[in-house]
Amino acid sequence: MTMPAPSRLSDRVHVPVHQLILPLAVVVLFAGFAVRDPRVMSAGNLVNILQQSSFLFLFALAQTIVIIARGFDLSLGPTASMVSVGAALAMAGLAGGPYPELVIVAVGLVAGAAFGALVGAFNGAIVGYARVTPFVVTLGSFNIATGIATTLSGGHPVQGMPELFFGLFNTGSILGLPAPVVVAILLGLLVHYLLRRTVLGRGLYLVGTNMRAAEVAGLRVRLILTSAYVLSSVLTAFGALLLTARTGSGEPTLGGTLSLQSAAAAIVGGASFAGGSGGVGTALVGSIFIIVLSNGMNIVQISGYVQMIILGVIVVAGVVVDRLRAQ
Amino acid sequence: MCVADPRFFGLPNITNILRNASALAIVACGQALVLIVGGFDLSVGATVALASEIAAVTMRWAAGIFPGQDVLVIALGVVAALGTGLLIGLVNGICVTVFRVSGFIVTLGSMSVTLGIALIITNGIPVYGLPQSFITEFGRARWLGVPGAAYVAIAVVLLLAFVQRRTLLGRYFYAIGGNVEAAVVSGVPTKRYQTVAYMISGLLASVTGLLLTALVGSGQASFGGDLMMLQSIAAAVIGGVSLHGGVGRVGMVALSALFLSVLSNSLNLLRVDSRIQPIFLGLILICAVSLDEIGRRRTVRE
Amino acid sequence: MSEALVNTPRLDPEGAREPILVLRGITKRFQGVTALRQVDFDLRAGEVHVLFGENGAGKSTLINIIAGTFAPDEGAHHLSGSEMRQLTPKRARLEGISAVFQEFSLAPNLNVLENIFLGREIRRGGILDRPAMRRRACDLITDLGFDIDPDRAVGTLSRAHQQMVEIAKALLAEPRILILDEPTASLTEREAARLFDLVAALKRRGVGIIYVSHRMREIKALADRITVLRDGQHVRTLDASGVSEADLIELMTGRKIDGLFPSISHKPSAVAVELRGFCAAGGLVREVDLVARRGEITGIAGLVGCGKSELVRAIYGLEPIEGGEIRISDELQQTPSARRGLQQGIIYFPANRATEGLALPRPVRENVSMTSLDIASIARWGLLDMRGERSLVRNAVERMKLRPPGLERPASKLSGGNRQKVMLARGLMRELSIFLFDEPTVGIDVGAKREVYDFIGQLLEQGAAVILVSSELPEVLALSNRLYVMHHGRIVRELQGEEKTEQNVLAAFFSQQRAHDGEAA
Amino acid sequence: GDTKWYPFKMNDASSGDLKIVDYMPVDKSEKPHNICVLFPHMKDSFWVAVAYGIAEQSKVLGVNMTIYEAGGYDNLPKQLSQFDDCIASGSNAIVIGAISTVGVAKQLQAAKAKGIPVIAVTNSFISPDLAAGVFVDLKSMASASANALLAGLKPGEAANVVTFPGPAGSGWAETMNKDFETVAGQNSNVKTLASKFGDTGVAVQLQLVQDALQAYPSMNYIWGTAPTAEAAIGALTEAGRSDVKIISSYENQAMLDALKRGDIRAFTTQYPVIEGRVAIDEAVRILDKKPFLRLVQPIPGVIDKASMDKMDMSTVLAPASWSPVYTVKQ
Ligand SMILES: Nc1ncnc2c1ncn2[C@@H]1O[C@H](COP(=O)(O)OP(=O)(O)OP(=O)(O)O)[C@@H](O)[C@H]1O
Ligand SMILES: Nc1ncnc2c1ncn2[C@@H]1O[C@H](COP(=O)(O)OP(=O)(O)OP(=O)(O)O)[C@@H](O)[C@H]1O
Ligand SMILES: [Mg+2]
Ligand SMILES: [Mg+2]
């Protein structure tokens, strides 16, 4: 992916050598697969890897934002399902009417983002104001969002969205980059800016590192925590919209295992549950690492359950090597 | 909800609740210990599955070699399953302490590996051929009307409560979770104790695997879904265990496992639509914990 | 002092002269930093050997090596004549080495009792013998004269009380070598005095004591020998008798410092903070009347737990207010909050840097600008002006003489004194007129202390109002214009001018203490 | 691999009307084509049976085949990625058991654009971009089991059914449930008391059944997934409710064993092994440009104690000795 490295944007902080280990591992892994099977390196597969990474990247980034604030969002997956169904219903509902497609797509986007923001505000308000452990809060909203997604959809995929939606967010491309990749790059840059250049972003890191100190320093801790969850869920919503455009339908089980996967990518990339660390770069590296690994295994035709074993071992090994260097 | 439905207090229903709660409580207690030392065990669900299959495969194999000797066959199966759990815990513990990688990543990896192995062993097809007495006299047995699983759970909880309060092991678990560096400079062999916590968690997950195997009558890979893992963490956290370590009692964890079981049972008994049930579940969960939290803060103030 | 505590066998006079601990050529590196370079050190039985040096000179590192926490990269380590290899904390404890660590070795979730016995639990038949441990701990706490409740979770205790727990923990076993790394950093006269008695008793018993402190008075009172470290290097080891304060400071810093306290000219003007019948913090502050004026330092002194910290915290909105009036610049305040306080020009510097002050893993820059993210030259419409931030922060840390001065270094990689400077630099970032200091010099070296005092002096010249809470009596006496003495949440004395003497303060502490004890009896 | 399963009676639904045909496979593929197979998972004997059919037929016809499984029905994004990986790795045809019937629609268009034919197997789905489909009509599956229930009903006997269709949101569970209720409801003696959705694991279903036994004391019929039936057997024995009858909505190894023991009344089958075999045969026909059927549907069979012995079970399930292979290479 052609995201500018965080080192170039952030204030002349040079990237310590150990942060390059995992990206290096990605390259080595990729090269290894390419030796086994040259199709790994075909142009088609590169675009494929980029595209797959861009979905996981968005979810990993969403998870990273709350992890920075020393939280955790278990409801990420069901939120994606709920957004997918909700946005699809909104668009399909208008599709028969007199509105131009662009309006319908805009409504769908707004509806999706609003659904996401709603879940985020709910999570964030309870975490920030009632100070309940994020795990429990988001476990609750995990269930709630799952229920809403299946109830709204009646258990069936929702169809009937305008073609423009798929064109804009799935099949379209700019400069040879598929639409999801472009969206991921744009959102990635935006979030990077937000984390590094705004008071909110700064607040997130400080609150995540030492909430008490942040309070004493007069930061609006509750507001910052709430914003973190809202921001995260809106990002999840965009990921879900991209996936919806990819599937062509609103899927009530779209998010199934995304909560855990996104956390895995975030943590593998280098964010820590202790809070205060991580960013766009770590989410990017983590998600590409996981995608390259599973794509490579698929292409060199390793069977499913053996893949699970290899995935487990390599993920741990990758992180071990990465962290050993840091010490 | 109890008022609304007299069936809730029916003996069969209470048996069901106790059985479900027991299976969950046992895993959750192990999970709680790992959380208390500041770790995380995502592999419990997969361990339940693998232990179930190993037990079933071993028993099927042993039944062929020692036909009719059910006690021996069952014992072999039980030992194999418990050994599996211990081994997974040992590997988790070693990876966490030696490589100093977060428990989340290590157990995420071992979950994937364990489940992969479980699925390869049986191709996902349930393993049958368990001795009948394993199912009737262990899985579905009742003493004084209470299911066998509940006795196992009670024994586990009492034992662990004792360990937590009265033994060095329990004390060191808390110390390590509270402040690892302090524990190190105080001469606590932290790595050993952290590993032991993971091993207990693995062991208890395999106990639950055995209970479920006996109950269902076959070894199943489907026990290993994310559900058991999520629920065990939920039960622990609702029971007051901190995800940042150092805090929590197994007694409360067992109670909250019971709470979760009663909750989903009541929703079924109240005939709430399956698709709306999760919404209720989530709301009740959040309300319960929020009230608890607010109450706790008020008492602290006073 | 109880003899029960110190039952180490008395060493024969012959052995007393032999060093029990010898370190030769110790070198220790942390990524990039060489914390110790070829350091020699020895300790004799029955002596107090003071380690002296600036923040970051390597004192704690040396101590951690002796206690087995860090392994040295080079050098030899002999204990009672036998070479120690791969010393672990456990092994060191078995060898009779006990330490009071600067960064406490306490688990916040465990209670006092459990912490004191951590790693030395008494067991019977594999089971913890809690009654026995309770008895031992209560005896110990009483002997030490500390006022701590053995059942309280350590995390809920103030730093001072945690310090006492840490001391009790180190004295539980019968040490052969006792290491005290700034044991009095948060203690007041009363507790410190008890500790010194104890040190003297242990000394008589032949225990070798390594003592680290930045308080000159203590060093002079206790030391037999003094080893001075500078930048990780051994400068000199000298006999304590006959060495002057000024010489020591010069050895330590490599330059001359004229006196510990600067002369500060107070020019009291308008009232900045006024409290009337002020009650707060769940009864820890009761019916306080207090006035702080611009252009003067208002000191607050009191024993540990008297509520002096709570008083300033309540002014800043960190403790619940339960009654009375609070006026800032003549304006009645309803519910003070940190945020509003900053906007009105009030800033509070907490006593506990680690838990309330700094986001340690974050860069210095972020830690300094943390309290100023709402001012126009740093952020506008929620967007940060990185250039503005950097130049303001650079200016502030330069004025604070931060070492090293890098803005992007994580605060966790700085020495204690420099961490303190990072926090204080916040006072130079925005328009502020009221400064609330809680223990501003805890754990910082003499040079840095002087810099902090100079900083406070500069604030005064600019017409600020300063409230200074400190448990180091010489400090508040020397700096403040007027001094309030607190006791059990109340202000019991206000001292000014000639009255402002150590005798008067102590008299205020202890007459009240006796009255209080009488009441209680 | 050389069991003679053909000719096999199936419905040709290509034209919209059903036409019963005797399905005959080709003898050999003209080239060793690369066929990519996508499964939701391989965690039960049902999908293993489909895999068995696919692997055996691939060997017989001489093609290269690889199976990818997505790990479960909640893993749609993973199946989509696998689909892309299939295209990227240069497959000639893709056989898919789709997780979501419409969720892979966009992928299908991409494959079509690249000229890669996609054959749907087992999980029904209708799309103009599909080259061919081999799957049972869920309606006929549900009505077959509803009819099995009705057939077993004594005159005047009332049936109070609780259904356990499978996971909410899966689509197939909802569809089958609705059709079952419609068909079974034609008899006024049959009442559906409730539908309990839940994942198709034995432990999850066990809890649902146990709770239903409490919540609906009048329940005397259980209709549900194979894991439901498996869980229900134990739950009923324990509750002493031998009066409750079980009908499974699909087949697996456990159902066969349970039927042999008389623990369940009947189960329906769509002949998953045959579906797998036909799917590969269709793929080869398409690649070799031979005539093929756009949509073939197995005629669901009801297997009960009576019909069990007369049937060739290797059309329903993989032999117990067979262990899954994920790749067939020529
Ligand atoms: N764990 C560590 N990792 C990296 N650097 C460290 C570590 N501990 C100490 N240092 C560095 O080693 C040097 C010596 O630190 P040390 O804590 O021994 O100083 P000190 O003399 O005890 O200072 P103070 O008076 O502030 O306590 C400092 O430069 C410090 O930054
Ligand atoms: N005897 C005691 N045992 C344990 N905790 C105590 C005791 N006395 C007071 N505390 C606790 O200590 C805190 C108040 O003491 P604190 O040391 O902060 O007051 P202080 O006057 O600011 O003293 P200092 O500034 O010297 O630390 C409160 O949290 C109080 O509950
Ligand atoms: Mg130090
Ligand atoms: Mg204080």
Side-chain angles (χ1 to χ4, degrees):
Chain A
M1 180 161 283
T2 55
M3 294 278 304
S7 55
R8 224 189 61 203
L9 275 177
S10 61
D11 357 303
R12 282 162 253 165
V13 185
H14 70 106
V15 182
V17 181
H18 69 79
Q19 283 186 11
L20 296 174
I21 297 283
L22 208 57
L24 207 70
V26 173
V27 174
V28 169
L29 212 57
F30 185 76
F33 283 125
V35 168
R36 276 280 313 267
D37 192 329
R39 283 175 302 186
V40 169
M41 250 172 41
S42 67
N45 194 46
L46 289 179
V47 171
N48 181 21
I49 289 179
L50 281 186
Q51 192 156 0
Q52 291 179 18
S53 307
S54 52
F55 301 108
L56 185 56
F57 165 68
L58 285 180
F59 296 119
L61 188 55
Q63 192 65 265
T64 301
I65 291 174
V66 288
I67 288 178
I68 291 172
R70 209 170 193 232
F72 184 52
D73 190 357
L74 202 56
S75 68
L76 186 146
T79 303
S81 306
M82 194 175 127
V83 166
S84 174
V85 169
L89 279 176
M91 284 188 271
L94 295 178
Y99 313 99
E101 287 204 338
L102 197 63
V103 172
I104 299 177
V105 170
V107 169
L109 285 190
V110 171
F115 265 112
L118 207 69
V119 181
F122 179 81
N123 286 337
I126 297 177
V127 171
Y129 289 82
R131 293 285 158 90
V132 181
T133 328
F135 186 88
V136 178
V137 176
T138 57
L139 178 72
S141 47
F142 176 99
N143 282 304
I144 296 172
T146 305
I148 293 177
T150 42
T151 309
L152 274 185
S153 66
H156 299 281
V158 181
Q159 286 175 285
M161 285 171 277
E163 278 305 315
L164 181 67
F165 179 62
F166 310 125
L168 278 180
F169 295 106
N170 189 42
T171 47
S173 66
I174 299 171
L175 302 173
L177 289 177
V181 181
V182 175
V183 174
I185 291 176
L186 291 179
L187 287 176
L189 287 174
L190 192 70
V191 172
H192 183 83
Y193 181 81
L194 209 132
L195 288 177
R196 298 297 153 115
R197 287 289 194 279
T198 68
V199 175
L200 175 63
R202 177 68 60 80
L204 271 176
Y205 284 99
L206 293 173
V207 168
T209 310
N210 188 346
M211 175 139 76
R212 189 79 193 115
E215 258 165 3
V216 171
L219 266 60
R220 283 184 280 203
V221 172
R222 284 178 289 211
L223 189 68
I224 290 171
L225 280 175
T226 311
S227 316
Y229 283 87
V230 172
L231 191 65
S232 160
S233 296
V234 169
L235 216 53
T236 301
F238 279 106
L241 285 167
L242 286 183
L243 268 185
T244 306
R246 190 178 193 209
T247 60
S249 54
E251 295 283 338
T253 55
L254 185 76
T257 53
L258 281 179
S259 304
L260 214 57
Q261 259 184 318
S262 59
I267 300 292
V268 166
S272 155
F273 283 128
S277 67
V280 175
T282 60
L284 185 66
V285 172
S287 42
I288 291 188
F289 180 74
I290 287 177
I291 293 294
V292 164
L293 188 55
S294 60
N295 169 274
M297 290 196 295
N298 278 341
I299 291 197
V300 304
Q301 302 188 342
I302 295 171
S303 75
Y305 301 135
V306 180
Q307 279 199 14
M308 291 175 73
I309 297 177
I310 297 177
L311 185 80
V313 171
I314 294 199
V315 161
V316 175
V319 176
V320 166
V321 171
D322 188 44
R323 307 297 193 268
L324 279 185
R325 281 305 161 87
Q327 280 163 19
Chain B
M1 58 187 84
C2 315
V3 185
D5 204 323
R7 280 184 302 264
F8 182 85
F9 286 117
L11 186 62
N13 192 45
I14 291 187
T15 309
N16 290 342
I17 295 179
L18 281 182
R19 201 178 272 146
N20 288 326
S22 303
L24 178 57
I26 295 172
V27 184
C29 285
Q31 181 74 261
L33 293 185
V34 173
L35 293 175
I36 286 171
V37 295
F40 220 102
D41 195 350
L42 299 179
S43 68
V44 286
T47 306
V48 169
L50 187 61
S52 163
E53 292 195 338
I54 295 279
V57 168
T58 309
M59 286 190 214
R60 189 171 63 185
W61 165 82
I65 298 181
F66 312 106
Q69 289 175 281
D70 277 8
V71 177
L72 178 65
V73 170
I74 293 174
L76 283 176
V78 168
V79 168
L82 299 184
T84 307
L86 277 177
L87 186 70
I88 296 170
L90 181 68
V91 172
N92 284 340
I94 288 177
C95 288
V96 168
T97 53
V98 173
F99 301 129
R100 295 199 230 149
V101 175
S102 75
F104 183 87
I105 289 290
V106 169
T107 57
L108 186 76
S110 66
M111 168 173 87
S112 182
V113 172
T114 307
L115 213 50
I117 295 175
L119 290 166
I120 284 177
I121 288 182
T122 66
N123 304 309
I125 301 168
V127 184
Y128 299 99
L130 306 181
Q132 205 53 36
S133 55
F134 181 61
I135 303 164
T136 51
E137 277 157 42
F138 183 56
R140 295 182 188 148
R142 271 186 253 177
W143 296 293
L144 306 172
V146 179
Y151 289 100
V152 178
I154 290 169
V156 165
V157 172
L158 287 180
L159 183 70
L160 288 183
F162 181 79
V163 165
Q164 285 198 308
R165 280 161 200 269
R166 290 298 174 86
T167 68
L168 209 56
L169 191 67
R171 179 66 56 83
Y172 284 177
F173 282 169
Y174 285 121
I176 293 166
N179 184 350
V180 200
E181 275 124 50
V184 171
V185 301
S186 303
V188 177
T190 50
K191 293 185 178 179
R192 197 181 315 157
Y193 281 91
Q194 279 168 312
T195 309
V196 168
Y198 280 97
M199 286 172 72
I200 295 177
S201 176
L203 182 72
L204 292 182
S206 64
V207 169
T208 292
L210 279 170
L211 290 177
L212 290 177
T213 309
L215 179 63
V216 168
S218 55
Q220 299 261 355
S222 69
F223 293 152
D226 292 349
L227 196 69
M228 181 64 82
M229 176 264 289
L230 274 183
Q231 280 192 333
S232 71
I233 302 175
V237 174
I238 294 167
V241 178
S242 160
L243 286 176
H244 300 297
V247 186
R249 296 251 181 234
V250 287
M252 289 306 294
V253 173
L255 279 183
S256 76
L258 188 62
F259 168 74
L260 288 176
S261 300
V262 168
L263 197 60
S264 74
N265 171 272
S266 317
L267 289 172
N268 276 332
L269 254 58
L270 287 175
R271 304 177 180 184
V272 177
D273 186 319
S274 305
R275 286 190 290 236
I276 301 181
Q277 275 195 18
I279 304 183
F280 277 97
L281 195 73
L283 285 175
I284 293 173
L285 204 68
I286 292 180
C287 288
V289 179
S290 301
L291 288 178
D292 184 45
E293 185 65 30
I294 289 166
R296 200 175 316 161
R297 228 174 303 154
R298 192 160 295 159
T299 45
V300 169
R301 273 278 156 80
E302 276 159 9
Chain C
M1 176 90 314
S2 156
E3 299 288 294
L5 268 177
V6 264
N7 33 18
T8 324
R10 193 184 292 268
L11 293 178
D12 58 292
E14 209 88 338
R17 252 165 270 132
E18 277 303 298
I20 46 176
L21 173 77
V22 180
L23 300 180
R24 286 288 169 262
I26 297 288
T27 297
K28 176 74 192 172
R29 292 179 210 95
F30 296 107
Q31 321 123 327
V33 193
T34 306
L36 292 175
R37 202 187 310 260
Q38 296 292 321
V39 171
D40 296 340
F41 180 81
D42 60 57
L43 179 70
R44 296 176 196 143
E47 75 162 345
V48 174
H49 192 150
V50 165
L51 269 178
F52 190 64
E54 293 183 276
N55 290 124
K59 306 180 292 293
S60 297
T61 307
L62 190 63
I63 278 169
N64 277 307
I65 286 171
I66 297 170
T69 321
F70 296 161
D73 295 319
E74 286 165 32
H77 184 194
H78 293 268
L79 198 64
S80 307
S82 55
E83 171 141 27
M84 297 278 108
R85 285 215 183 83
Q86 295 184 337
L87 190 67
T88 61
K90 195 177 174 90
R91 176 84 192 287
R93 297 182 112 206
L94 290 176
E95 295 285 346
I97 300 176
S98 267
V100 167
F101 289 97
Q102 185 178 19
E103 311 295 337
F104 303 146
S105 64
L106 304 175
N109 54 326
L110 298 186
N111 67 27
V112 172
L113 191 66
E114 292 164 342
N115 263 295
I116 289 179
F117 277 92
L118 187 57
R120 298 190 206 275
E121 288 79 1
I122 304 175
R123 278 180 297 169
R124 216 170 23 187
I127 293 164
L128 295 174
D129 187 347
R130 294 197 290 185
M133 290 195 275
R134 174 173 295 274
R135 255 177 280 124
R136 269 294 288 288
C138 288
D139 288 351
L140 180 63
I141 292 172
T142 322
D143 279 344
L144 290 169
F146 290 159
D147 173 28
I148 33 180
D149 173 2
D151 292 318
R152 262 187 63 172
V154 158
T156 66
L157 296 178
S158 65
R159 190 179 151 92
H161 286 102
Q162 291 186 7
Q163 181 80 68
M164 297 177 194
V165 178
E166 181 76 13
I167 291 172
K169 184 179 169 192
L171 291 176
L172 178 71
E174 302 81 38
R176 257 195 322 155
I177 296 176
L178 178 65
I179 301 168
L180 299 162
D181 195 352
E182 302 194 33
T184 56
S186 307
L187 299 187
T188 42
E189 313 300 313
R190 185 170 57 151
E191 294 80 23
R194 299 294 276 264
L195 182 66
F196 300 153
D197 290 346
L198 184 81
V199 166
L202 287 169
K203 222 171 108 166
R204 284 196 299 276
R205 288 268 157 188
V207 177
I209 294 163
I210 304 172
Y211 195 97
V212 180
S213 180
H214 293 295
R215 294 188 179 179
M216 295 308 294
R217 284 217 307 193
E218 292 174 4
I219 294 170
K220 297 200 69 171
L222 292 171
D224 295 312
R225 287 194 299 161
I226 301 173
T227 289
V228 182
L229 295 178
R230 193 198 306 154
D231 290 335
Q233 275 168 312
H234 179 255
V235 175
R236 192 180 302 170
T237 298
L238 29 80
D239 267 330
S241 52
V243 59
S244 76
E245 209 169 282
D247 293 345
L248 270 182
I249 294 174
E250 195 181 338
L251 276 176
M252 168 182 125
T253 58
R255 63 200 148 95
K256 275 200 168 14
I257 288 185
D258 44 339
L260 202 47
F261 300 106
S263 61
I264 287 176
S265 57
H266 302 271
K267 296 185 205 73
S269 60
V271 173
V273 180
E274 187 177 4
L275 304 178
R276 288 279 161 254
F278 187 67
C279 299
L284 289 174
V285 176
R286 281 179 272 177
E287 290 162 28
V288 165
D289 295 334
L290 173 147
V291 171
R293 294 195 167 76
R294 291 180 202 282
E296 69 165 352
I297 296 175
T298 310
I300 302 179
L303 295 173
V304 168
C306 69
K308 54 192 189 299
S309 293
E310 281 73 12
L311 177 59
V312 282
R313 293 169 65 82
I315 297 175
Y316 192 63
L318 296 177
E319 299 284 344
I321 293 176
E322 283 130 17
E325 281 178 8
I326 166 167
R327 274 170 216 280
I328 306 290
S329 314
D330 273 339
E331 255 178 69
L332 192 65
Q333 304 293 308
Q334 296 306 333
T335 47
S337 81
R339 192 177 173 75
R340 229 164 298 142
L342 284 165
Q343 277 159 359
Q344 288 174 323
I346 310 178
I347 189 165
Y348 161 74
F349 299 102
N352 196 334
R353 292 188 292 268
T355 60
E356 293 201 326
L358 300 170
L360 284 172
R362 303 304 301 172
V364 166
R365 172 175 49 83
E366 295 184 10
N367 272 292
V368 174
S369 66
M370 205 162 159
T371 46
S372 315
L373 293 176
D374 55 343
I375 64 172
S377 43
I378 290 188
R380 230 170 289 182
W381 304 301
L383 304 181
L384 293 169
D385 173 355
M386 304 298 288
R387 194 168 308 185
E389 179 191 19
R390 220 174 294 126
S391 78
L392 266 182
V393 173
R394 184 170 304 122
N395 177 33
V397 300
E398 268 166 18
R399 279 180 62 192
M400 289 310 305
K401 303 198 183 76
L402 185 74
R403 274 180 304 265
L407 299 188
E408 301 305 333
R409 176 181 284 259
S412 56
K413 292 209 172 149
L414 296 176
S415 72
N418 283 300
R419 290 181 189 184
Q420 186 72 15
K421 288 184 197 166
V422 168
M423 195 167 78
L424 296 182
R426 291 175 185 168
L428 299 172
M429 293 287 291
R430 60 187 298 162
E431 284 285 306
L432 295 166
S433 57
I434 302 173
F435 292 78
L436 313 175
F437 291 97
D438 193 359
E439 313 283 1
T441 60
V442 166
I444 66 177
D445 69 47
V446 183
K449 266 184 190 169
R450 178 59 200 257
E451 283 160 13
V452 170
Y453 300 146
D454 287 337
F455 167 70
I456 295 177
Q458 286 168 25
L459 295 176
L460 223 53
E461 274 163 30
Q462 291 157 15
V466 173
I467 299 183
L468 172 68
V469 173
S470 175
S471 41
E472 199 177 346
L473 208 43
E475 179 176 288
V476 262
L477 282 170
L479 295 182
S480 54
N481 187 34
R482 282 177 308 113
L483 179 62
Y484 290 99
V485 182
M486 274 187 84
H487 194 268
H488 278 274
R490 292 174 204 276
I491 299 235
V492 291
R493 260 323 263 285
E494 182 185 345
L495 299 170
Q496 213 168 347
E498 296 296 297
E499 299 172 309
K500 210 176 51 148
T501 64
E502 191 160 339
Q503 284 70 30
N504 281 344
V505 177
L506 290 176
F509 284 176
F510 292 116
S511 68
Q512 286 297 321
Q513 187 63 38
R514 272 194 297 280
H516 183 79
D517 291 348
E519 251 170 60
Chain D
D2 42 15
T3 45
K4 191 164 181 307
W5 53 275
Y6 47 86
F8 199 85
K9 284 213 179 322
M10 299 183 90
N11 274 326
D12 171 8
S14 313
S15 60
D17 322 312
L18 297 187
K19 205 164 58 193
I20 295 184
V21 293
D22 279 323
Y23 193 91
M24 288 293 289
V26 295
D27 288 339
K28 206 73 188 165
S29 168
E30 287 172 9
K31 271 192 282 180
H33 305 291
N34 295 316
I35 301 178
C36 207
V37 180
L38 298 173
F39 275 11
H41 63 83
M42 283 264 266
K43 288 192 282 199
D44 61 27
S45 46
F46 178 85
W47 282 102
V48 170
V50 186
Y52 170 68
I54 284 181
E56 290 302 296
Q57 201 62 22
S58 301
K59 274 190 234 159
V60 170
L61 299 187
V63 291
N64 297 313
M65 183 281 299
T66 310
I67 298 178
Y68 299 102
E69 57 90 33
Y73 270 99
D74 51 2
N75 243 338
L76 177 60
K78 182 161 177 190
Q79 187 167 63
L80 299 182
S81 301
Q82 288 173 334
F83 199 112
D84 291 342
D85 293 348
C86 277
I87 297 180
S89 64
S91 305
N92 304 112
I94 295 175
V95 172
I96 181 170
I99 284 181
S100 163
T101 52
V102 293
V104 291
K106 293 285 147 189
Q107 253 50 30
L108 235 53
Q109 288 172 0
K112 192 177 187 184
K114 291 213 159 56
I116 302 172
V118 180
I119 297 99
V121 69
T122 304
N123 286 355
S124 78
F125 94 64
I126 308 290
S127 156
D129 301 319
L130 208 57
V134 187
F135 46 79
V136 77
D137 175 22
L138 283 181
K139 279 194 178 138
S140 68
M141 211 41 197
S143 43
S145 56
N147 285 324
L149 186 153
L150 295 178
L153 223 53
K154 294 187 196 72
E157 184 190 346
N160 293 316
V161 193
V162 175
T163 63
F164 300 85
S170 64
W172 60 265
E174 279 88 352
T175 307
M176 283 186 76
N177 192 46
K178 196 161 133 268
D179 290 320
F180 173 84
E181 284 186 20
T182 320
V183 174
Q186 285 163 2
N187 184 330
S188 58
N189 282 338
V190 180
K191 264 208 295 287
T192 302
L193 302 177
S195 300
K196 293 289 169 192
F197 290 87
D199 281 342
T200 49
V202 178
V204 172
Q205 293 293 330
L206 179 65
Q207 196 175 345
L208 289 179
V209 172
Q210 283 174 338
D211 288 350
L213 276 169
Q214 300 309 314
Y216 308 97
S218 65
M219 167 177 84
N220 63 355
Y221 268 94
I222 286 174
W223 177 84
T225 64
T228 315
E230 209 180 332
I233 295 165
L236 293 177
T237 319
E238 199 189 354
R241 291 289 305 271
S242 53
D243 60 311
V244 181
K245 301 170 194 76
I246 306 168
I247 291 172
S248 165
S249 62
Y250 61 84
E251 62 281 59
N252 70 13
Q253 189 62 43
M255 291 302 94
L256 191 57
D257 298 342
L259 192 62
K260 282 181 188 153
R261 289 194 304 267
D263 287 338
I264 63 169
R265 290 295 295 267
F267 64 83
T268 41
T269 181
Q270 53 185 301
Y271 306 101
V273 178
I274 299 301
E275 285 179 346
R277 287 184 182 274
V278 173
I280 291 296
D281 185 64
E282 294 257 282
V284 169
R285 281 171 179 273
I286 294 168
L287 293 173
D288 289 347
K289 311 234 178 324
K290 287 186 177 153
F292 66 98
L293 301 175
R294 290 230 352 135
L295 180 54
V296 247
Q297 297 181 327
I299 303 161
V302 173
I303 302 186
D304 53 21
K305 205 131 197 174
S307 63
M308 185 169 56
D309 303 326
K310 285 179 283 193
M311 278 184 61
D312 175 10
M313 277 301 157
S314 71
T315 59
V316 177
L317 291 166
S321 59
W322 188 75
S323 74
V325 290
Y326 289 82
T327 38
V328 171
K329 280 209 171 76
Q330 295 308 320

